[in-house]
Amino acid sequence: MSAPLRRRWLTMAGTAAALALVVTGCTSNQPQDTADEGSGAQAAVPGTENDEPGDTVTIGFSAPAADHGWMGAITRAAVAEAEKYEDVELVQAEATNDVNLQISQIEQFINDGVDAIVLLPFDGAALTEVALQAMEAGIVVVNVDREFDDPNAARTTVLGDNYGMGVSAGQYICEQLGDQPDAKVAEIAGIDSLPLTQDRSRGFADALFECGLEVGNRVAADFTVQGGEAAAANLLQAAPELDAIWNHDDDQGVGVMAAIENAGRDEFIMVGGAGSKNVMEAIEADDSVVKATVVYPSTQAADGVKLARLLVQQKAMSDLVEVEVPRTIQLYAPVVTKANVDEYLPTAFES
C-alpha cells in the first residue's frame, strides 16, 4: 500500500473507530474522567445523566423489509434499544421495499407530529424530499445507512464504512495473494444502483491497485440468497479458475456458497461482508473457501434511536468536547479471520 492511501485509510479508520465508541457511549452531559464503553445492542449504562428518564420522545421508525438477515438484525436492534428507555415511544412502520409506501409512511409520521424519525431508506435519493419536509416541520430526522441526496434532509446520519469495507477486503486479499502478480480476483457485489455498493467496489479496487492486483470478473446480486446463488453461478461459469472472491454481503453469501458447492470449486479463497454468524462459524471451522469477512455493523438503527432521543431531549455526548451531536457518525469495518473470530461471534447476526 502506498503511503498516501495508508495515511488516508488509517485516518479514516481511527476517526470512525473513535466515533463508534462515542455514539454508543452517549453518557452524561457532565465531563467525566473516562469514556464509557457500550454498544447499540447492549444495555444502557446505568447511573448516567443522559440515561435518566426525561420528557417522552416519540420516534417514528421505518426500514426496508427484512428480506435478509442483516436487515432483520437492524430492526431488532432498534426495537430493543427503544425498549431500554421508559421515555421512548417507538412507532414502527411496516417494513417495505416499496419506495412510494415508505414515503407515505414518513408523511404519516409528519402528520402525526412525532418528535423524531429514524429512517433507513430503501433508496436514499428517493426519500430525500420527504425527509426534508420532516426537517422543515421541526422533526428530528436521523438518516441510517443509505444516505439522502441532501445533507439538510437529516440532523444526523449514521453510516457503516462502505468504502472502508472494500479497502479492508482488498487489503486482506493483497496480504494473501500480493506475491502473485497474475492472481485472478473476482467480486460479487450487492445492488449496483446503490451508492453503498459503488463505494464498496471503489474501496476494493483502490486497495487491490496498491498491491498490483485488479478485479478480473465482477457480477452483482441483490443481497438475497437467491440473487447470490444466481450471480455466483454466472461468475463461476465465466471464470474457470480463480484465486480470490470478495462477496459484498454474507446474506447473499448463503447462495454464493451453494453455487460454489454445486460447481465443486475450492481453488480460491473467499472474503465475505457484513459479519453473519454462519460465515463466522465457517471461518472458525476453517473447512471451506471462506477465510474472512468484513464487519458492517447491524447496530446503526439502534444508534439512530439513541441519538434521536438525545437530540429531542437536547442532550449531548459527554465523550466529545463538542456540545452538539455530530452531523455524521461512521462506524468501523474490521476484518474477521480465524485469529480473531471469537471476538466478533457474540455480536454476529443470523443469515
Side-chain angles (χ1 to χ4, degrees), residues 253-275:
V254 175
V256 170
M257 285 301 298
I260 290 171
E261 291 171 6
N262 289 339
R265 301 279 293 272
D266 64 0
E267 79 279 7
F268 51 81
I269 61 171
M270 188 171 90
V271 180

Side-chain angles (χ1 to χ4, degrees), residues 7-337:
R7 284 197 298 269
R8 182 169 72 249
W9 171 237
L10 288 175
T11 299
M12 290 169 58
T15 302
L19 284 175
L21 285 174
V22 171
V23 63
T24 54
C26 293
T27 53
S28 169
N29 284 327
Q30 302 299 321
Q32 297 180 4
D33 293 333
T34 59
D36 294 319
E37 294 182 4
S39 165
Q42 297 175 348
V45 180
T48 60
E49 291 184 13
N50 275 2
D51 288 319
E52 292 176 0
D55 293 338
T56 299
V57 179
T58 302
I59 302 173
F61 175 67
S62 176
D67 53 11
H68 55 287
W70 184 87
M71 192 64 75
I74 273 277
T75 297
R76 288 192 298 274
V79 172
E81 189 64 31
E83 289 175 348
K84 296 172 186 175
Y85 295 99
E86 62 182 77
D87 56 6
V88 171
E89 179 185 352
L90 190 72
V91 181
Q92 185 179 355
E94 181 181 356
T96 180
N97 292 343
D98 183 326
V99 169
N100 291 325
L101 178 56
Q102 195 172 30
I103 290 172
S104 69
Q105 291 173 347
I106 305 309
E107 290 173 337
Q108 187 61 54
F109 287 152
I110 295 171
N111 291 337
D112 291 343
V114 298
D115 299 304
I117 297 171
V118 176
L119 174 57
L120 197 168
F122 181 75
D123 183 320
L127 272 291
T128 298
E129 182 60 34
V130 73
L132 281 167
Q133 293 172 19
M135 288 287 287
E136 290 167 0
I139 297 171
V140 171
V141 176
V142 179
N143 182 196
V144 174
D145 186 44
R146 301 175 184 178
E147 287 185 87
F148 300 137
D149 275 353
D150 187 337
N152 296 312
R155 167 57 181 82
T156 294
T157 300
V158 183
L159 300 170
D161 189 356
N162 289 292
Y163 179 83
M165 281 186 73
V167 171
S168 292
Q171 287 179 336
Y172 177 82
I173 288 174
C174 281
E175 291 169 2
Q176 307 305 309
L177 306 177
D179 60 347
Q180 303 176 40
D182 297 324
K184 297 177 174 61
V185 180
E187 179 181 4
I188 303 175
I191 300 173
D192 260 344
S193 62
L194 294 178
L196 65 87
T197 296
Q198 297 159 19
D199 288 344
R200 292 179 187 184
S201 290
R202 183 165 53 87
F204 189 50
D206 286 352
L208 291 178
F209 178 79
E210 293 297 320
C211 70
L213 297 178
E214 63 181 3
V215 175
N217 295 85
R218 185 183 185 280
V219 294
D222 58 3
F223 299 136
T224 67
V225 173
Q226 296 80 3
E229 185 170 6
N234 291 336
L235 170 67
L236 296 171
Q237 285 184 342
E241 185 178 341
L242 291 169
D243 294 296
I245 296 175
W246 180 38
N247 169 52
H248 284 209
D249 180 74
D250 286 344
D251 285 320
Q252 70 185 27
V254 175
V256 170
M257 285 301 298
I260 290 171
E261 291 171 6
N262 289 339
R265 301 279 293 272
D266 64 0
E267 79 279 7
F268 51 81
I269 61 171
M270 188 171 90
V271 180
S276 74
K277 183 178 179 181
N278 61 305
V279 166
M280 289 193 195
E281 288 174 343
I283 292 168
E284 185 176 46
D286 197 19
D287 58 1
S288 73
V289 298
V290 182
K291 302 302 179 186
T293 189
V294 184
V295 173
Y296 193 70
S298 60
T299 59
Q300 294 176 51
D303 290 333
V305 168
K306 195 157 189 166
L307 289 167
R309 176 180 175 273
L310 288 182
L311 287 162
V312 173
Q313 293 183 348
Q314 298 183 330
K315 298 176 180 178
M317 297 176 175
S318 66
D319 295 329
L320 292 181
V321 176
E322 172 58 48
V323 297
E324 297 286 351
V325 171
R327 286 294 302 271
T328 303
I329 294 169
Q330 190 170 54
L331 308 181
Y332 185 47
V335 176
V336 178
T337 66

